[in-house]
């Protein structure tokens, strides 16, 4: 089978190109950030001890965009219908816009409401360009009457909630070295498999490029990190994951297709929902910074930085394997069994190591209880 006739081969090439380019560009971005003084300075409340550049998202965006451009140049988009081709470019444009919003926050420290307004505006523009949740399938109604087109207002509301919600879920997950990039990369790999299982080639191309740039960035971002992705990077990752699931598996809200991206991304979505509900119960703003997130709780439970990240990784890969079962993918039960074994082994080993070390977190430490809300304006702040 030649490259020109194999969508999966094009996706593999896109993954490799994105990974290599991102890996090569990150040191250049880091050097530029250090030269210009665009760093996050350490203090007693932060986990890093040296100035850290928070512009790593630039490398991911370049790796992602150039990988798609090369795939297009090699004729990969010729395998797609014109409408799907256009959705890829629309998704890339939206990802760039979300990145710019996050980058502006990294450079100028915007308040939450302008950021949210910008996200909603870009999500609305994406809806007008066809990146939208447009139909819902009710299979129990029988043949011919099961596919229902959503009214424009309902379609718009569903699309805005989906795009903005997942974007902020990934952003809020960016609290430890390598956490957001790893989870997004695992989710992207899951979306590659699910998309090709459902014959959604456009979504498969996008997800492969995203997985590649996540892997390339992790080379420099895993603990101990040498660079942070910043809000620009996390907004880019979150929006792109959300858009891929609309372009592919969730394009129509069928019973199965909507469940797939929800399963893969359920961990960051559940974490964000729990944090928001906790803040609202206390009469605080949903944007009030604190240490309620899952990774904070695992750290307080005595798990190390790396073990906390790995635990979240393995649970995400288990959810992705479960999505493959729902999608009826090839060797689905083998992948689920392997993912389950990895999850169980990681949990057991981590618990034993934590017990052996007898780790205890002082309740008065900054890790256990926040003292200055400004210290937690983002994952590494």
């Amino acid at each position: 089978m030649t490259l020109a006739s194999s969508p999966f081969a094009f996706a593999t090439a896109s993954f490799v190109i994105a990974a290599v380019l991102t890996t090569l560009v990150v040191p250049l971005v880091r050097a530029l950030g250090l030269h210009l003084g665009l760093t996050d300075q350490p203090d007693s409340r932060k986990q890093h001890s040296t100035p850290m550049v928070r512009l790593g998202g630039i490398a991911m965006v370049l790796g992602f965009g150039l990988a798609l451009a090369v795939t297009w140049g090699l004729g990969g988009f010729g395998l797609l219908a014109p409408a799907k081709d256009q959705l890829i470019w629309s998704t890339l444009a939206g990802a760039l816009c979300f990145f710019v919003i996050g980058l502006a926050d990294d450079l100028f420290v915007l308040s939450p409401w302008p950021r949210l307004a910008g996200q909603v505006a870009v999500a609305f523009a994406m809806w007008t360009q066809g990146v939208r949740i447009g139909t819902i399938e009710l299979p129990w109604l029988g043949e011919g009457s099961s596919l229902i087109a959503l009214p424009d207002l309902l379609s718009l509301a569903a699309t805005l909630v989906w795009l903005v919600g997942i974007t902020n879920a990934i952003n809020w997950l960016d609290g430890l070295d390598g956490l957001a990039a790893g989870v997004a990369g695992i989710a992207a790999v899951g979306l590659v498999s699910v998309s090709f299982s459902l014959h959604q080639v456009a979504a498969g191309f996008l997800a492969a490029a995203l997985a590649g740039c996540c892997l390339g960035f992790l080379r420099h971002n895993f603990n101990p990190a040498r660079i942070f992705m910043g809000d620009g990077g996390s907004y880019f990752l979150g929006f792109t994951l959300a858009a891929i699931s609309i372009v592919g598996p969730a394009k129509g809200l069928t019973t199965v297709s909507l469940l797939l991206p929800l399963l893969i991304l359920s961990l960051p979505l559940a974490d964000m929902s729990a944090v928001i509900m906790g803040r609202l119960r206390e009469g605080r703003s949903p944007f009030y910074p604190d240490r309620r997130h899952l990774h904070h709780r695992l750290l307080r439970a005595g798990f190390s930085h790396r073990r906390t990240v790995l635990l979240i990784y393995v649970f995400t890969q288990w959810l992705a394997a479960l999505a493959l079962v729902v999608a009826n993918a090839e060797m689905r039960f083998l992948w689920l069994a392997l993912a389950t074994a990895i999850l169980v082994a990681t949990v057991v080993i981590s618990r034993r190591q934590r017990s052996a070390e007898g780790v205890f977190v002082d309740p008065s430490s900054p890790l256990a209880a926040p003292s200055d809300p400004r210290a937690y304006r983002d994952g590494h702040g």
Side-chain angles (χ1 to χ4, degrees):
M1 181 178 291
T2 65
L3 180 66
S5 64
S6 172
F8 191 77
F10 275 114
T12 302
S14 182
F15 171 85
V16 173
I17 293 168
V20 172
L21 288 176
T22 304
T23 301
L24 295 176
V25 172
V26 166
L28 303 179
V29 173
R30 181 175 182 272
L32 179 63
L34 290 173
H35 177 71
L36 298 177
L38 301 176
T39 59
D40 187 22
Q41 297 298 320
D43 59 37
S44 60
R45 299 183 302 261
K46 298 177 181 178
Q47 296 183 31
H48 56 284
S49 58
T50 58
M52 296 292 291
V53 175
R54 300 183 67 247
L55 303 176
I58 295 174
M60 289 192 291
V61 170
L62 287 174
F64 179 77
L66 290 175
L68 289 177
V70 171
T71 301
W72 171 77
L74 293 175
F77 290 8
L79 302 175
L80 307 175
K84 289 291 187 180
D85 188 342
Q86 185 265 331
L87 285 177
I88 288 182
W89 297 118
S90 296
T91 298
L92 179 58
L96 290 173
C97 290
F98 267 78
F99 166 73
V100 169
I101 294 171
L103 181 63
D105 184 43
D106 291 327
L107 297 177
F108 306 112
V109 191
L110 305 178
S111 66
W113 294 110
R115 281 181 281 155
L116 182 61
Q119 292 172 14
V120 171
V122 175
F124 173 77
M126 291 299 98
W127 180 81
T128 65
Q129 296 302 308
V131 182
R132 63 171 67 183
I133 298 173
T135 59
I136 182 169
E137 184 178 3
L138 304 175
W140 53 84
L141 295 181
E143 291 290 337
S145 61
S146 59
L147 192 63
I148 300 175
L150 296 177
D152 283 349
L153 188 60
L154 186 55
S155 170
L156 175 60
T159 302
L160 293 183
V161 169
W162 185 261
L163 293 177
V164 174
I166 291 180
T167 296
N168 284 283
I170 296 298
N171 175 247
W172 288 6
L173 191 67
D174 184 28
L176 298 176
D177 295 350
L179 183 55
V183 169
I186 294 169
V189 171
L191 285 173
V192 170
S193 300
V194 167
S195 296
F196 278 104
S197 294
L198 298 177
H199 308 291
Q200 298 283 355
V201 177
F205 285 168
L206 288 165
L210 187 66
C213 71
C214 287
L215 177 63
F217 185 69
L218 271 177
R219 169 70 177 78
H220 306 275
N221 183 240
F222 195 74
N223 181 260
R226 294 184 291 276
I227 190 171
F228 294 157
M229 69 174 64
D231 284 348
S234 60
Y235 282 7
F236 160 73
L237 290 182
F239 170 82
T240 308
L241 283 172
I244 290 170
S245 63
I246 290 180
V247 171
K251 180 67 175 178
L253 288 178
T254 65
T255 304
V256 173
S257 65
L258 179 62
L259 184 61
L260 299 178
L262 281 175
L263 270 175
I264 296 172
L265 300 170
S266 58
L267 186 60
L269 289 172
D271 181 53
M272 182 181 69
S273 300
V275 168
I276 290 176
M277 293 303 297
R279 292 170 181 172
L280 293 177
R281 279 197 303 268
E282 294 182 356
R284 301 185 186 277
S285 165
F287 301 107
Y288 179 81
D290 53 29
R291 292 265 181 176
R292 296 177 181 271
H293 293 287
L294 174 62
H295 49 274
H296 297 140
R297 297 177 186 275
L298 289 172
L299 289 171
R300 287 196 293 271
F303 292 101
S304 69
H305 187 129
R306 286 194 172 191
R307 286 177 197 156
T308 295
V309 171
L310 290 174
L311 279 170
I312 297 176
Y313 280 2
V314 297
F315 192 72
T316 302
Q317 60 90 32
W318 183 81
L319 291 169
L322 189 60
L324 294 180
V325 174
V326 176
N328 203 30
E330 291 185 19
M331 300 190 298
R332 54 195 178 278
F333 292 112
L334 175 61
W335 291 121
L336 181 60
L338 180 61
T340 302
I342 293 173
L343 175 61
V344 171
T346 303
V347 170
V348 171
I349 293 172
S350 296
R351 287 177 61 89
R352 287 179 177 175
Q353 290 178 339
R354 184 193 62 166
S355 299
E357 293 170 357
V359 177
F360 173 74
V361 178
D362 183 354
S364 64
S365 71
L367 177 62
S371 57
D372 179 0
R374 287 186 59 80
Y376 312 125
R377 63 172 297 274
D378 57 39
H380 294 284

